[in-house]
Amino acid sequence: MKIAMVGLGRMGANMTLRLLKAGHQVVVWDMNAAAVKELASQGAIAASDLKDLVGKLEAPRAVWMMIPAAFVDETIHKIAPLLAKGDCLIDGGNSYYKDDIRRSKELAAKGIDYLDVGTSGGVWGLERGYCQMIGGPAATVQRLDPIFKALAPGKGSIPVTAGRGNRGGSAEQGYLHCGQSGAGHFVKMVHNGIEYGLMAAYAEGLNILKNANAGKVQREKDAETTPLREPEAYQYDFDLGEIAEVWRRGSVIASWLLDLTADAMAKDPQLAQFGGRVSDSGEGRWTIDAAIDEGVPAHVLTAALYERFSSRGNALFADKVCSAMRFEFGGHHEKASGSH
């Protein structure tokens, strides 16, 4: 099957390579000409611009966009006039699902199908495959099944869940048609919200372990410092890399995220190369918005999102307000950074 890939960053380039490896033809374009040239050297069909890209496809055409959410609408505005009835546009990035609903209606009026595909796998996807959560018309999803199947991880060594019996289906292969337009990105949105919570849980737990030697630290004795009542209970100097490693084996909290954490700590035990500023690309926020609209409590996911805001210094003014109030009502002076 022939398909086009627009956007050849970390995800788009590797997805293209995986499709080529599976025997598909891929027409590629990116604003970065060097990225296009690199993939052309590995078997992709280079396009000089979007018009050239569409011209190198046969009807019914399929164009996969792997670009940041902020650029999807303008890209659709440029490429939709080049497409014809029966063609399909696919957004494999992390767009807001409500935008998918709007886009699908706008494109349907022109006879163009639109699929939203939440794609998970990161930089490891070329080797491991990509989990795909798909929204849009069932007939179009079925037509492009060879593409989704090639990108997916497949069953691999993961056993079928007990109780499924012989149900089968693409979910066991690592991709799923979740429902109508927006469904794919809705499921991926919640997936990423959960990811925030899981990451925060590992981070907080490891931080407690890192500071389990608090009893060895000399604390100042003044009105601004809470005394450690049992310093003898906090005399541990844990090797966090080794703890992450042992948790990977037989533990109930073993996961791929833990595998990656152990890998990072093996390379850099103190994680010195990182400043601790944790970004968010929107999905966590949208997950909380959906929870509010649905009236569903999401305490952990909300806290994880807010911690990301705090990591970027966005809590600093609030902290200053608290310090100011303590000084005003009690004459409390701020202690130097790093003091206990």
Side-chain angles (χ1 to χ4, degrees):
M1 181 172 284
K2 182 183 283 189
I3 190 170
M5 182 69 71
V6 174
L8 306 175
R10 289 170 298 184
M11 292 283 282
N14 281 349
M15 291 168 69
T16 297
L17 292 173
R18 189 169 175 90
L19 288 171
L20 291 171
K21 185 177 180 180
H24 297 285
Q25 294 179 289
V26 188
V27 184
V28 297
W29 181 81
D30 191 281
M31 293 180 65
N32 181 356
V36 176
K37 184 177 180 180
E38 171 60 26
L39 282 169
S41 71
Q42 300 190 58
I45 302 169
S48 57
D49 54 30
L50 291 176
K51 184 176 181 180
D52 184 39
L53 176 129
V54 172
K56 289 178 174 176
L57 297 171
E58 293 84 36
R61 304 170 186 85
V63 178
W64 190 305
M65 299 175 293
M66 208 63 197
I67 56 180
F71 297 101
V72 173
D73 277 325
E74 66 177 82
T75 303
I76 290 176
H77 180 73
K78 293 175 182 177
I79 201 168
L82 305 173
L83 299 176
K85 184 176 180 180
D87 290 345
C88 176
L89 265 174
I90 305 161
D91 178 10
N94 282 324
S95 288
Y96 188 31
Y97 78 97
K98 291 183 180 179
D99 289 335
D100 295 320
I101 297 172
R102 168 181 55 81
R103 292 166 184 158
S104 66
K105 291 178 180 178
E106 294 170 351
L107 290 168
K110 302 176 182 180
I112 300 171
D113 291 326
Y114 176 87
L115 300 183
D116 51 281
V117 182
T119 310
S120 182
V123 296
W124 296 87
L126 174 59
E127 176 185 345
R128 292 168 54 104
Y130 299 88
C131 175
Q132 299 156 86
M133 296 140 270
I134 308 164
T140 307
V141 174
Q142 183 58 42
R143 176 170 70 85
L144 295 174
D145 184 77
I147 296 296
F148 302 131
K149 188 172 184 178
L151 289 171
K155 284 188 177 182
S157 60
I158 300 174
V160 175
T161 301
R164 281 181 63 88
N166 296 320
R167 182 175 178 178
S170 66
E172 294 178 5
Q173 302 290 334
Y175 65 105
L176 179 68
H177 182 212
C178 299
Q180 65 266 37
S181 293
H185 277 148
F186 192 102
V187 175
K188 179 56 165 36
M189 173 186 77
V190 176
H191 164 286
N192 283 21
I194 292 170
E195 178 184 296
Y196 285 23
L198 291 172
M199 292 172 69
Y202 283 124
E204 291 181 9
L206 288 167
N207 200 26
I208 292 170
L209 290 170
K210 181 176 177 57
N211 288 279
N213 62 354
K216 297 182 178 183
V217 178
Q218 184 63 42
R219 292 175 176 243
E220 297 181 37
K221 295 181 179 179
D222 56 37
E224 303 301 317
T225 306
T226 303
L228 183 61
R229 295 176 61 89
E230 299 177 280
E232 67 276 7
Y234 299 95
Q235 297 287 321
Y236 303 109
D237 292 303
F238 291 120
D239 186 327
L240 301 186
E242 290 298 282
I243 290 172
E245 186 65 28
V246 75
W247 281 351
R248 293 181 60 221
R249 303 174 188 281
S251 164
V252 296
I253 62 168
S255 74
W256 187 43
L257 282 174
L258 184 59
D259 294 345
L260 298 177
T261 302
D263 183 61
M265 287 185 166
K267 297 173 184 173
D268 179 7
Q270 298 303 318
L271 303 181
Q273 65 175 304
F274 299 102
R277 186 187 189 281
V278 188
S279 299
D280 75 285
S281 53
E283 305 83 49
R285 306 181 190 211
W286 304 333
T287 300
I288 306 310
D289 288 343
I292 292 170
D293 288 343
E294 296 171 4
V296 174
H299 309 292
V300 173
L301 307 191
T302 302
L305 174 65
Y306 284 178
E307 175 54 32
R308 292 195 175 200
F309 297 164
S310 182
S311 79
R312 305 199 291 266
N314 293 342
L316 181 58
F317 186 74
D319 294 338
K320 288 182 177 182
V321 170
C322 287
S323 286
M325 288 189 287
R326 292 188 80 245
F327 180 77
E328 292 296 329
F329 69 64
H332 299 283
H333 291 276
E334 285 188 332
K335 294 180 70 66
S337 178
S339 298
H340 292 275

PDB file of all heavy atoms in Angstrom, residues 101 118 164 244 295:
ATOM      1  N   ILE A 101     -13.478  16.367  15.988  1.00  0.00           N
ATOM      2  CA  ILE A 101     -14.909  16.354  15.653  1.00  0.00           C
ATOM      3  C   ILE A 101     -15.214  17.459  14.638  1.00  0.00           C
ATOM      4  O   ILE A 101     -15.907  17.234  13.635  1.00  0.00           O
ATOM      5  CB  ILE A 101     -15.758  16.519  16.924  1.00  0.00           C
ATOM      6  CG1 ILE A 101     -15.537  15.324  17.867  1.00  0.00           C
ATOM      7  CG2 ILE A 101     -17.239  16.662  16.575  1.00  0.00           C
ATOM      8  CD1 ILE A 101     -16.175  15.485  19.237  1.00  0.00           C
ATOM      9  N   GLY A 118      -4.460   8.277  17.899  1.00  0.00           N
ATOM     10  CA  GLY A 118      -3.570   8.465  19.025  1.00  0.00           C
ATOM     11  C   GLY A 118      -2.466   7.433  18.932  1.00  0.00           C
ATOM     12  O   GLY A 118      -2.731   6.226  18.857  1.00  0.00           O
ATOM     13  N   ARG A 164     -10.379 -13.614  27.886  1.00  0.00           N
ATOM     14  CA  ARG A 164     -10.781 -13.150  26.554  1.00  0.00           C
ATOM     15  C   ARG A 164     -11.171 -14.311  25.648  1.00  0.00           C
ATOM     16  O   ARG A 164     -11.889 -14.124  24.670  1.00  0.00           O
ATOM     17  CB  ARG A 164      -9.635 -12.370  25.890  1.00  0.00           C
ATOM     18  CG  ARG A 164      -9.493 -10.941  26.378  1.00  0.00           C
ATOM     19  CD  ARG A 164      -8.370 -10.230  25.654  1.00  0.00           C
ATOM     20  NE  ARG A 164      -8.613 -10.104  24.234  1.00  0.00           N
ATOM     21  CZ  ARG A 164      -9.279  -9.084  23.669  1.00  0.00           C
ATOM     22  NH1 ARG A 164      -9.773  -8.127  24.439  1.00  0.00           N
ATOM     23  NH2 ARG A 164      -9.443  -9.030  22.362  1.00  0.00           N
ATOM     24  N   ALA A 244      15.564   0.399  41.475  1.00  0.00           N
ATOM     25  CA  ALA A 244      14.760   0.383  40.247  1.00  0.00           C
ATOM     26  C   ALA A 244      14.943  -0.935  39.511  1.00  0.00           C
ATOM     27  O   ALA A 244      13.991  -1.502  38.956  1.00  0.00           O
ATOM     28  CB  ALA A 244      15.151   1.558  39.354  1.00  0.00           C
ATOM     29  N   GLY A 295     -18.049  15.031  35.558  1.00  0.00           N
ATOM     30  CA  GLY A 295     -18.296  14.935  36.991  1.00  0.00           C
ATOM     31  C   GLY A 295     -17.598  13.756  37.631  1.00  0.00           C
ATOM     32  O   GLY A 295     -18.085  13.188  38.608  1.00  0.00           O
TER      33      GLY A 295
END
